[in-house]
Amino acid sequence: MILTGPAIAAARAAAEITIEPYDPARLSPNAYDWCLGDTLRICAGDLDAAVPTPYTETTIPLSGLVLEPGVLYLGVTHERTGSETYAQLLNGNRAIGALGIWVHVSAPLGHQGHAIRWTLEIRVARPVRVYPQMTFGKLVFLRCLGTAASYQLHGQKYTSTAGIDISRLYEELAGGAM
């Protein structure tokens, strides 16, 4: 079950949801409009799941940054979000999609108990200029059924994510860099 905008506001007021920084004007009927952070990691060269991804990091200037097709960008949400009560789904929105930006299509689920600034996978169809803290998508909160199982208690590799994080699949692959 998806929470409505007023239910998100009430859950946040009851400390059941974390959204920081929070702006009530960003609530929509069934979601919270999240913003792109101010930093991007640009993944370079051929990628290999068995080794850490090489990247350069850049700050998006206030004048914007043109993203190019064929490049994998890792970004971060401006907001830190989470809940021990609800799961989350993070997606782009129609306005971003209409610019040919695909954002976070591979891992939209935020587990119950995981409060983070989300690492975003970003690809573009054509060159497009983006700006720091521009609206970039929608976040929905989902009521969970069954016994709560906090992500933080499962010892997963991304529990300490504080910002942009490269793939850590290499930690699972035999022969990968540990």
Side-chain angles (χ1 to χ4, degrees), residues 3-5 8-9 12 17-35 78-81 89-91 93 135-141:
L3 271 62
T4 64
I8 293 169
R12 184 182 175 280
I17 288 176
T18 298
I19 303 173
E20 296 300 333
Y22 175 74
D23 179 355
R26 295 191 152 284
L27 285 171
S28 59
N30 299 103
Y32 186 84
D33 294 339
W34 59 270
C35 299
H78 176 65
E79 297 84 0
R80 179 178 165 273
T81 67
L89 285 178
L90 183 123
N91 294 293
N93 64 15
T135 300
F136 223 65
K138 295 201 173 285
L139 178 70
V140 299
F141 290 88

Side-chain angles (χ1 to χ4, degrees), residues 81-103:
T81 67
S83 175
E84 288 289 339
T85 306
Y86 303 98
Q88 307 165 79
L89 285 178
L90 183 123
N91 294 293
N93 64 15
R94 188 209 173 286
I96 292 300
L99 289 172
I101 300 172
W102 295 286
V103 61

Side-chain angles (χ1 to χ4, degrees), residues 5 12 15 18 22 24 37 39 43 48 55-56 62 69 89 128 135-136 144 158 160 163 175:
R12 184 182 175 280
T18 298
Y22 175 74
T39 305
C43 299
D48 182 339
Y55 63 86
T56 57
L62 293 177
L89 285 178
V128 60
T135 300
F136 223 65
C144 299
Y158 298 106
S160 62

Side-chain angles (χ1 to χ4, degrees), residues 99-157:
L99 289 172
I101 300 172
W102 295 286
V103 61
H104 213 65
V105 295
S106 68
L109 178 63
H111 294 284
Q112 191 176 11
H114 204 191
I116 58 170
R117 289 182 67 206
W118 293 67
T119 295
L120 308 168
E121 304 96 21
I122 304 169
R123 303 282 296 212
V124 299
R126 300 183 45 92
V128 60
R129 184 176 298 273
V130 298
Y131 301 86
Q133 297 184 27
M134 68 184 277
T135 300
F136 223 65
K138 295 201 173 285
L139 178 70
V140 299
F141 290 88
L142 305 166
R143 185 174 310 277
C144 299
L145 297 177
T147 304
S150 177
Y151 186 86
Q152 294 305 109
L153 301 178
H154 284 256
Q156 303 294 317
K157 63 179 149 289

